[in-house]
Amino acid sequence: MDERYIDRALVSAHETCPIERLAERLGAGPFSLVLLFVSPEADVSAVVAEAENAWPGAKIAGCTTAGEISGDGYGDESIVAIGFHARHFAAETLLVPNLSELAAGELTDTLLHIRQALARDHGHLPEEFALLFVDGLSAREDELASALAAATGAMPLIGGSAGDGTHFRETLVFDGTRLLANAAVISVIRGACPLRPFKMDHIKPTERRMVVTEAEPAARIVRCINAEPAVHEYARLIGMEPESVNTLTFAIHPLTVRMGERHHVRAIQRVLPSGELLFFSAIDEGMVLTIAEPHDLVGHLSAELQTLKGPADPIAVLAFDCILRRIEAQERQMTSRVSELLRQHGVIGFSTYGEQFGPMHINHTMTGLAFYPPGTIVPESAS
Protein backbone atom coordinates (compact mmCIF):
# COMPACT_ATOMS: atom_id res chain seq x y z
CA MET A 1 0.00 0.00 0.00
CA ASP A 2 1.23 3.51 -0.82
CA GLU A 3 2.66 5.49 2.09
CA ARG A 4 0.33 8.25 3.27
CA TYR A 5 1.77 11.66 4.09
CA ILE A 6 -0.96 14.29 3.68
CA ASP A 7 -4.67 13.52 3.24
CA ARG A 8 -7.59 15.79 2.46
CA ALA A 9 -11.37 15.64 2.66
CA LEU A 10 -14.32 17.86 1.77
CA VAL A 11 -17.93 18.21 2.96
CA SER A 12 -20.71 20.73 2.43
CA ALA A 13 -20.98 23.48 5.04
CA HIS A 14 -24.65 22.54 5.28
CA GLU A 15 -24.00 18.89 6.18
CA THR A 16 -25.96 17.85 9.28
CA CYS A 17 -22.89 16.42 11.03
CA PRO A 18 -19.95 17.89 9.07
CA ILE A 19 -17.12 16.81 11.37
CA GLU A 20 -18.45 13.25 11.53
CA ARG A 21 -18.55 13.14 7.72
CA LEU A 22 -15.08 14.71 7.45
CA ALA A 23 -13.66 12.18 9.89
CA GLU A 24 -15.09 9.34 7.81
CA ARG A 25 -13.52 10.70 4.64
CA LEU A 26 -10.20 11.90 6.04
CA GLY A 27 -9.70 8.84 8.21
CA ALA A 28 -8.46 8.49 11.77
CA GLY A 29 -4.79 9.03 10.96
CA PRO A 30 -3.22 9.24 13.42
CA PHE A 31 -2.49 12.83 12.46
CA SER A 32 -0.15 15.29 14.13
CA LEU A 33 -2.06 18.25 12.67
CA VAL A 34 -5.47 18.68 11.07
CA LEU A 35 -6.19 21.96 9.27
CA LEU A 36 -9.80 23.04 8.75
CA PHE A 37 -10.78 25.75 6.29
CA VAL A 38 -14.39 26.56 7.03
CA SER A 39 -16.94 28.51 4.99
CA PRO A 40 -18.67 31.23 7.05
CA GLU A 41 -21.93 29.56 5.95
CA ALA A 42 -21.13 26.66 8.30
CA ASP A 43 -21.88 26.52 12.01
CA VAL A 44 -18.26 27.39 12.75
CA SER A 45 -18.60 27.11 16.54
CA ALA A 46 -19.98 23.57 16.29
CA VAL A 47 -17.27 22.53 13.82
CA VAL A 48 -14.51 23.75 16.13
CA ALA A 49 -16.09 22.25 19.25
CA GLU A 50 -16.27 18.77 17.71
CA ALA A 51 -12.97 18.59 15.81
CA GLU A 52 -10.67 17.51 18.64
CA ASN A 53 -12.89 14.50 19.43
CA ALA A 54 -12.78 13.43 15.78
CA TRP A 55 -8.97 13.28 15.68
CA PRO A 56 -7.66 12.52 19.19
CA GLY A 57 -4.09 13.60 19.76
CA ALA A 58 -3.96 15.87 16.71
CA LYS A 59 -3.45 19.60 16.86
CA ILE A 60 -6.38 21.40 15.23
CA ALA A 61 -5.93 24.76 13.50
CA GLY A 62 -7.71 26.76 10.83
CA CYS A 63 -9.95 29.67 10.00
CA THR A 64 -12.99 30.92 8.14
CA THR A 65 -12.57 31.59 4.43
CA ALA A 66 -13.49 33.71 1.45
CA GLY A 67 -13.95 30.46 -0.48
CA GLU A 68 -12.36 27.04 -0.37
CA ILE A 69 -9.92 25.13 -2.61
CA SER A 70 -10.68 21.47 -2.16
CA GLY A 71 -8.51 19.52 -4.58
CA ASP A 72 -11.40 19.72 -7.04
CA GLY A 73 -10.80 23.42 -7.70
CA TYR A 74 -12.61 26.44 -6.35
CA GLY A 75 -15.44 25.68 -3.94
CA ASP A 76 -17.94 27.58 -1.83
CA GLU A 77 -20.03 26.78 1.24
CA SER A 78 -17.83 23.84 2.15
CA ILE A 79 -15.31 22.68 4.75
CA VAL A 80 -11.88 21.40 3.74
CA ALA A 81 -9.85 19.21 6.10
CA ILE A 82 -6.14 18.47 5.62
CA GLY A 83 -4.42 15.86 7.77
CA PHE A 84 -0.64 15.57 8.27
CA HIS A 85 0.16 11.96 9.20
CA ALA A 86 1.89 11.65 12.58
CA ARG A 87 4.39 9.13 11.23
CA HIS A 88 5.88 11.77 8.95
CA PHE A 89 5.08 15.11 10.62
CA ALA A 90 5.25 16.59 14.12
CA ALA A 91 3.43 19.83 14.95
CA GLU A 92 2.78 22.36 17.67
CA THR A 93 0.41 25.33 17.54
CA LEU A 94 0.56 28.76 19.14
CA LEU A 95 -2.46 31.02 19.57
CA VAL A 96 -1.92 34.78 19.56
CA PRO A 97 -5.18 35.78 21.28
CA ASN A 98 -5.17 39.59 21.18
CA LEU A 99 -3.52 41.25 18.20
CA SER A 100 -4.38 44.70 19.55
CA GLU A 101 -1.91 44.15 22.40
CA LEU A 102 0.81 42.24 20.59
CA ALA A 103 3.80 41.50 22.83
CA ALA A 104 6.51 41.00 20.19
CA GLY A 105 9.29 39.95 22.57
CA GLU A 106 7.17 37.37 24.35
CA LEU A 107 5.89 36.01 21.02
CA THR A 108 9.46 35.67 19.70
CA ASP A 109 10.59 33.80 22.81
CA THR A 110 7.63 31.41 22.75
CA LEU A 111 7.99 30.63 19.06
CA LEU A 112 11.72 29.99 19.41
CA HIS A 113 11.01 27.65 22.32
CA ILE A 114 8.51 25.70 20.21
CA ARG A 115 11.01 25.37 17.36
CA GLN A 116 13.75 24.21 19.71
CA ALA A 117 11.50 21.62 21.38
CA LEU A 118 10.40 20.20 18.03
CA ALA A 119 14.01 20.02 16.83
CA ARG A 120 15.03 18.24 20.03
CA ASP A 121 12.19 15.73 20.03
CA HIS A 122 11.82 15.21 16.27
CA GLY A 123 15.28 15.87 14.87
CA HIS A 124 14.88 12.90 12.52
CA LEU A 125 12.34 14.96 10.56
CA PRO A 126 14.56 17.27 8.50
CA GLU A 127 12.10 19.79 7.07
CA GLU A 128 10.71 22.70 9.09
CA PHE A 129 8.01 25.21 8.19
CA ALA A 130 5.26 27.28 9.77
CA LEU A 131 1.70 28.15 8.77
CA LEU A 132 0.00 31.38 9.84
CA PHE A 133 -3.74 32.07 9.90
CA VAL A 134 -4.79 35.51 11.09
CA ASP A 135 -8.04 37.47 11.46
CA GLY A 136 -8.42 39.14 8.05
CA LEU A 137 -10.28 42.14 9.49
CA SER A 138 -7.82 42.79 12.32
CA ALA A 139 -5.58 45.19 10.33
CA ARG A 140 -2.67 43.72 12.32
CA GLU A 141 -1.10 41.31 9.82
CA ASP A 142 1.86 43.54 8.98
CA GLU A 143 2.67 44.17 12.64
CA LEU A 144 2.39 40.45 13.38
CA ALA A 145 4.61 39.50 10.43
CA SER A 146 7.29 41.90 11.68
CA ALA A 147 7.09 40.43 15.18
CA LEU A 148 7.42 36.87 13.88
CA ALA A 149 10.42 37.57 11.63
CA ALA A 150 12.96 37.43 14.45
CA ALA A 151 11.80 33.95 15.49
CA THR A 152 11.24 32.40 12.06
CA GLY A 153 14.50 33.41 10.37
CA ALA A 154 14.98 31.37 7.18
CA MET A 155 12.21 28.90 8.08
CA PRO A 156 9.39 29.14 5.50
CA LEU A 157 6.39 30.98 6.95
CA ILE A 158 3.34 30.76 4.70
CA GLY A 159 -0.32 31.48 5.31
CA GLY A 160 -3.42 33.52 4.74
CA SER A 161 -5.81 35.94 6.38
CA ALA A 162 -9.17 34.48 7.39
CA GLY A 163 -12.11 35.52 5.25
CA ASP A 164 -15.86 35.98 5.42
CA GLY A 165 -16.87 35.51 1.81
CA THR A 166 -17.48 39.01 0.46
CA HIS A 167 -19.34 40.15 3.59
CA PHE A 168 -16.39 41.65 5.55
CA ARG A 169 -18.24 41.29 8.87
CA GLU A 170 -16.40 38.71 10.97
CA THR A 171 -13.32 36.59 10.33
CA LEU A 172 -12.25 33.92 12.81
CA VAL A 173 -9.26 31.69 13.54
CA PHE A 174 -9.10 28.68 15.83
CA ASP A 175 -6.57 26.65 17.76
CA GLY A 176 -8.04 23.46 19.20
CA THR A 177 -11.43 24.45 20.64
CA ARG A 178 -10.51 28.14 20.97
CA LEU A 179 -12.34 30.22 18.33
CA LEU A 180 -11.43 33.90 18.24
CA ALA A 181 -11.51 37.16 16.31
CA ASN A 182 -8.63 39.65 16.53
CA ALA A 183 -6.30 36.67 16.83
CA ALA A 184 -3.85 34.48 14.93
CA VAL A 185 -2.74 30.87 15.12
CA ILE A 186 0.73 29.70 14.13
CA SER A 187 1.42 26.03 13.39
CA VAL A 188 5.08 24.98 13.49
CA ILE A 189 5.74 21.67 11.73
CA ARG A 190 8.68 19.35 11.18
CA GLY A 191 8.28 16.79 8.45
CA ALA A 192 9.86 14.13 6.28
CA CYS A 193 8.76 15.65 2.96
CA PRO A 194 10.98 18.12 1.11
CA LEU A 195 9.05 21.28 0.38
CA ARG A 196 9.15 24.31 -1.85
CA PRO A 197 7.58 27.64 -0.85
CA PHE A 198 6.06 29.61 -3.72
CA LYS A 199 4.53 33.00 -4.42
CA MET A 200 2.86 33.76 -7.71
CA ASP A 201 1.14 36.84 -9.10
CA HIS A 202 0.23 37.94 -12.60
CA ILE A 203 0.19 41.69 -11.93
CA LYS A 204 2.16 44.09 -14.14
CA PRO A 205 2.70 47.73 -13.05
CA THR A 206 1.83 50.55 -15.43
CA GLU A 207 3.33 54.05 -15.60
CA ARG A 208 0.37 55.61 -13.74
CA ARG A 209 1.29 56.63 -10.20
CA MET A 210 -0.31 58.41 -7.26
CA VAL A 211 0.73 59.61 -3.83
CA VAL A 212 -1.13 59.00 -0.57
CA THR A 213 -1.45 62.50 0.87
CA GLU A 214 -3.75 61.84 3.84
CA ALA A 215 -4.21 58.54 5.65
CA GLU A 216 -4.92 56.81 8.94
CA PRO A 217 -2.22 54.09 8.83
CA ALA A 218 -3.31 52.19 11.96
CA ALA A 219 -6.75 51.61 10.42
CA ARG A 220 -5.41 51.19 6.84
CA ILE A 221 -7.62 54.04 5.63
CA VAL A 222 -6.62 56.41 2.83
CA ARG A 223 -8.50 59.70 2.86
CA CYS A 224 -6.75 61.61 0.08
CA ILE A 225 -4.72 60.72 -3.00
CA ASN A 226 -2.84 63.49 -4.80
CA ALA A 227 -4.55 65.92 -2.35
CA GLU A 228 -7.98 64.88 -3.69
CA PRO A 229 -10.68 62.70 -2.07
CA ALA A 230 -9.36 59.15 -2.35
CA VAL A 231 -12.10 57.37 -4.27
CA HIS A 232 -12.54 60.30 -6.69
CA GLU A 233 -8.84 60.44 -7.59
CA TYR A 234 -8.51 56.65 -7.86
CA ALA A 235 -11.57 56.54 -10.13
CA ARG A 236 -10.24 59.39 -12.28
CA LEU A 237 -6.90 57.68 -12.79
CA ILE A 238 -8.51 54.43 -13.95
CA GLY A 239 -11.14 56.21 -16.10
CA MET A 240 -14.24 55.43 -14.04
CA GLU A 241 -16.92 57.30 -12.16
CA PRO A 242 -16.52 57.14 -8.34
CA GLU A 243 -19.98 55.66 -7.83
CA SER A 244 -19.09 52.75 -10.14
CA VAL A 245 -16.04 51.65 -8.14
CA ASN A 246 -16.53 48.29 -6.37
CA THR A 247 -14.67 45.11 -5.36
CA LEU A 248 -14.41 44.00 -8.98
CA THR A 249 -12.70 47.31 -9.82
CA PHE A 250 -10.04 46.62 -7.20
CA ALA A 251 -9.39 43.18 -8.71
CA ILE A 252 -8.91 44.54 -12.22
CA HIS A 253 -7.11 47.79 -11.27
CA PRO A 254 -4.93 46.88 -8.27
CA LEU A 255 -2.45 49.27 -6.68
CA THR A 256 1.16 48.31 -6.00
CA VAL A 257 4.07 49.69 -3.99
CA ARG A 258 7.66 49.23 -5.09
CA MET A 259 10.01 47.47 -2.65
CA GLY A 260 13.50 47.15 -4.06
CA GLU A 261 13.19 45.84 -7.59
CA ARG A 262 9.71 44.36 -7.17
CA HIS A 263 6.18 45.68 -6.90
CA HIS A 264 3.81 44.30 -4.27
CA VAL A 265 0.05 44.84 -4.31
CA ARG A 266 -1.56 47.05 -1.68
CA ALA A 267 -5.12 45.89 -2.28
CA ILE A 268 -8.19 47.99 -1.58
CA GLN A 269 -10.82 46.16 0.46
CA ARG A 270 -13.75 48.53 -0.05
CA VAL A 271 -14.96 52.13 -0.34
CA LEU A 272 -16.21 53.50 2.96
CA PRO A 273 -19.43 55.57 3.06
CA SER A 274 -17.23 58.65 3.52
CA GLY A 275 -15.51 58.02 0.17
CA GLU A 276 -12.31 56.93 1.89
CA LEU A 277 -10.54 53.75 0.81
CA LEU A 278 -9.99 50.88 3.25
CA PHE A 279 -7.00 48.68 2.37
CA PHE A 280 -6.20 45.01 3.08
CA SER A 281 -2.58 45.79 4.00
CA ALA A 282 -0.30 48.50 5.37
CA ILE A 283 -0.60 52.00 3.97
CA ASP A 284 0.96 55.34 4.95
CA GLU A 285 1.11 58.99 4.00
CA GLY A 286 3.71 59.72 1.36
CA MET A 287 3.50 56.22 -0.10
CA VAL A 288 3.75 56.16 -3.88
CA LEU A 289 1.26 53.74 -5.41
CA THR A 290 1.35 52.45 -8.96
CA ILE A 291 -1.72 51.30 -10.86
CA ALA A 292 -1.22 47.76 -12.15
CA GLU A 293 -3.09 45.55 -14.60
CA PRO A 294 -3.63 41.78 -14.38
CA HIS A 295 -2.10 39.74 -17.21
CA ASP A 296 -3.33 36.30 -18.29
CA LEU A 297 -4.34 34.72 -14.98
CA VAL A 298 -4.89 31.27 -16.50
CA GLY A 299 -1.66 31.14 -18.51
CA HIS A 300 0.44 32.39 -15.62
CA LEU A 301 -1.14 29.96 -13.14
CA SER A 302 -0.64 27.04 -15.52
CA ALA A 303 3.04 27.85 -16.01
CA GLU A 304 3.72 28.37 -12.31
CA LEU A 305 1.98 25.16 -11.25
CA GLN A 306 3.86 23.26 -13.93
CA THR A 307 7.12 24.65 -12.51
CA LEU A 308 6.28 23.06 -9.16
CA LYS A 309 6.45 19.67 -10.89
CA GLY A 310 10.11 20.25 -11.81
CA PRO A 311 11.73 18.30 -8.95
CA ALA A 312 8.98 15.62 -8.99
CA ASP A 313 5.21 15.43 -8.88
CA PRO A 314 4.18 17.03 -5.56
CA ILE A 315 2.31 14.80 -3.14
CA ALA A 316 0.33 17.91 -2.07
CA VAL A 317 0.16 21.61 -2.89
CA LEU A 318 -1.13 23.80 -0.06
CA ALA A 319 -2.16 27.26 -1.29
CA PHE A 320 -3.56 30.56 -0.04
CA ASP A 321 -5.19 32.49 -2.86
CA CYS A 322 -6.29 36.13 -2.68
CA ILE A 323 -10.03 36.73 -2.95
CA LEU A 324 -9.33 39.30 -5.67
CA ARG A 325 -7.91 36.59 -7.93
CA ARG A 326 -11.13 34.61 -7.52
CA ILE A 327 -13.22 37.71 -8.24
CA GLU A 328 -11.16 38.43 -11.36
CA ALA A 329 -11.61 34.84 -12.57
CA GLN A 330 -15.38 35.10 -12.08
CA GLU A 331 -15.66 38.43 -13.89
CA ARG A 332 -13.56 37.28 -16.83
CA GLN A 333 -15.37 33.94 -17.04
CA MET A 334 -12.23 32.00 -16.18
CA THR A 335 -13.48 30.25 -13.06
CA SER A 336 -13.88 26.84 -14.66
CA ARG A 337 -10.43 27.02 -16.30
CA VAL A 338 -8.75 28.10 -13.07
CA SER A 339 -10.59 25.39 -11.14
CA GLU A 340 -9.49 22.77 -13.63
CA LEU A 341 -5.85 23.80 -13.24
CA LEU A 342 -6.14 23.68 -9.45
CA ARG A 343 -7.76 20.23 -9.73
CA GLN A 344 -5.13 18.88 -12.13
CA HIS A 345 -2.33 19.89 -9.77
CA GLY A 346 -4.07 18.77 -6.56
CA VAL A 347 -4.11 22.24 -4.98
CA ILE A 348 -5.83 22.54 -1.58
CA GLY A 349 -6.34 25.59 0.62
CA PHE A 350 -8.61 28.62 0.73
CA SER A 351 -9.27 32.10 -0.64
CA THR A 352 -7.94 34.80 1.65
CA TYR A 353 -8.13 38.46 2.62
CA GLY A 354 -4.32 38.59 2.39
CA GLU A 355 -1.38 36.23 1.99
CA GLN A 356 1.73 35.57 4.05
CA PHE A 357 5.14 34.89 2.50
CA GLY A 358 8.01 34.98 4.96
CA PRO A 359 8.05 38.38 6.66
CA MET A 360 5.70 39.94 4.08
CA HIS A 361 1.94 40.36 4.25
CA ILE A 362 0.82 40.77 0.63
CA ASN A 363 -2.25 40.80 -1.61
CA HIS A 364 -3.42 39.63 -5.02
CA THR A 365 -1.09 36.62 -4.90
CA MET A 366 -1.19 32.89 -4.38
CA THR A 367 1.31 31.74 -1.79
CA GLY A 368 1.88 28.21 -0.63
CA LEU A 369 3.99 25.12 -0.18
CA ALA A 370 4.54 22.18 -2.51
CA PHE A 371 5.40 18.92 -0.71
CA TYR A 372 7.45 16.17 -2.38
CA PRO A 373 8.23 12.50 -1.68
CA PRO A 374 11.10 11.98 0.79
CA GLY A 375 14.45 11.92 -0.99
CA THR A 376 13.44 14.44 -3.67
CA ILE A 377 16.10 17.08 -4.35
CA VAL A 378 14.26 20.41 -4.38
CA PRO A 379 16.08 23.52 -5.69
CA GLU A 380 15.58 26.81 -3.89
CA SER A 381 12.60 28.81 -5.13
CA ALA A 382 13.25 32.02 -7.00
CA SER A 383 10.11 33.65 -5.53
Side-chain angles (χ1 to χ4, degrees):
M1 185 168 63
D2 290 341
E3 191 72 64
R4 308 297 299 179
Y5 298 95
I6 301 172
D7 282 333
R8 84 278 306 266
L10 170 74
V11 298
S12 167
H14 305 291
E15 183 79 47
T16 303
C17 300
I19 287 296
E20 185 178 329
R21 299 286 86 77
L22 275 173
E24 291 173 355
R25 295 172 187 179
L26 189 66
F31 301 108
S32 60
L33 174 69
V34 174
L35 303 177
L36 295 173
F37 303 137
V38 185
S39 165
E41 300 300 317
D43 184 343
V44 182
S45 296
V47 168
V48 173
E50 296 167 9
E52 282 191 333
N53 292 330
W55 297 286
K59 300 292 183 180
I60 309 293
C63 62
T64 58
T65 76
E68 301 76 56
I69 305 173
S70 67
D72 292 325
Y74 279 147
D76 285 298
E77 300 187 9
S78 61
I79 305 170
V80 173
I82 303 167
F84 291 81
H85 279 264
R87 181 177 176 182
H88 303 292
F89 295 90
E92 291 291 341
T93 59
L94 171 61
L95 182 70
V96 185
N98 186 353
L99 294 175
S100 299
E101 298 180 4
L102 190 63
E106 181 180 337
L107 178 59
T108 295
D109 291 345
T110 303
L111 189 53
L112 284 172
H113 176 76
I114 289 173
R115 292 185 64 189
Q116 290 164 359
L118 281 171
R120 181 188 66 238
D121 297 338
H122 303 280
H124 63 289
L125 299 172
E127 303 290 338
E128 183 188 29
F129 62 99
L131 303 174
L132 174 64
F133 310 126
V134 55
D135 179 347
L137 297 178
S138 67
R140 294 291 184 272
E141 293 102 325
D142 301 278
E143 181 183 357
L144 178 62
S146 177
L148 291 173
T152 55
M155 175 181 67
L157 174 67
I158 306 293
S161 298
D164 179 32
T166 55
H167 302 303
F168 304 108
R169 292 191 296 256
E170 183 180 53
T171 54
L172 302 168
V173 302
F174 48 88
D175 174 26
T177 58
R178 294 171 291 181
L179 176 66
L180 295 172
N182 191 37
V185 60
I186 305 154
S187 301
V188 183
I189 303 108
R190 292 191 72 94
C193 297
L195 52 90
R196 182 175 184 176
F198 63 84
K199 174 175 67 71
M200 55 182 77
D201 73 76
H202 63 301
I203 302 300
K204 304 296 182 184
T206 68
E207 296 301 316
R208 291 171 288 167
R209 296 182 176 85
M210 62 187 76
V211 179
V212 176
T213 50
E214 186 177 345
E216 186 180 341
R220 297 179 177 169
I221 293 173
V222 171
R223 295 196 175 96
C224 293
I225 293 171
N226 296 340
E228 298 291 338
V231 70
H232 288 267
E233 184 67 358
Y234 171 72
R236 183 187 72 82
L237 289 168
I238 62 174
M240 292 182 65
E241 295 298 322
E243 57 271 17
S244 300
V245 171
N246 56 28
T247 304
L248 172 61
T249 311
F250 309 143
I252 296 177
H253 302 284
L255 301 178
T256 68
V257 61
R258 184 168 180 170
M259 298 180 184
E261 297 301 314
R262 304 193 67 172
H263 282 79
H264 299 280
V265 173
R266 286 291 181 262
I268 304 170
Q269 183 188 120
R270 64 184 186 272
V271 181
L272 299 177
S274 60
E276 299 165 336
L277 297 176
L278 176 63
F279 279 69
F280 276 118
S281 52
I283 207 78
D284 204 352
E285 291 183 0
M287 183 176 283
V288 177
L289 298 173
T290 299
I291 297 174
E293 303 291 347
H295 283 230
D296 190 11
L297 173 60
V298 172
H300 185 270
L301 178 63
S302 177
E304 291 290 319
L305 290 175
Q306 190 62 37
T307 297
L308 295 180
K309 298 170 75 72
D313 285 345
I315 58 174
V317 178
L318 179 61
F320 309 104
D321 189 42
C322 183
I323 184 177
L324 296 175
R325 290 167 57 94
R326 181 181 283 229
I327 290 171
E328 180 191 343
Q330 291 170 344
E331 169 62 19
R332 297 190 169 181
Q333 300 181 336
M334 299 175 178
T335 301
S336 62
R337 294 165 67 192
V338 171
S339 279
E340 177 60 19
L341 283 171
L342 297 174
R343 186 197 65 77
Q344 287 175 3
H345 292 270
V347 179
I348 47 179
F350 70 96
S351 293
T352 76
Y353 283 179
E355 302 78 61
Q356 191 71 30
F357 190 79
M360 295 188 299
H361 172 67
I362 48 184
N363 301 118
H364 223 303
T365 63
M366 177 186 283
T367 65
L369 291 166
F371 297 87
Y372 298 92
T376 303
I377 304 299
V378 179
E380 289 189 13
S381 173
S383 294

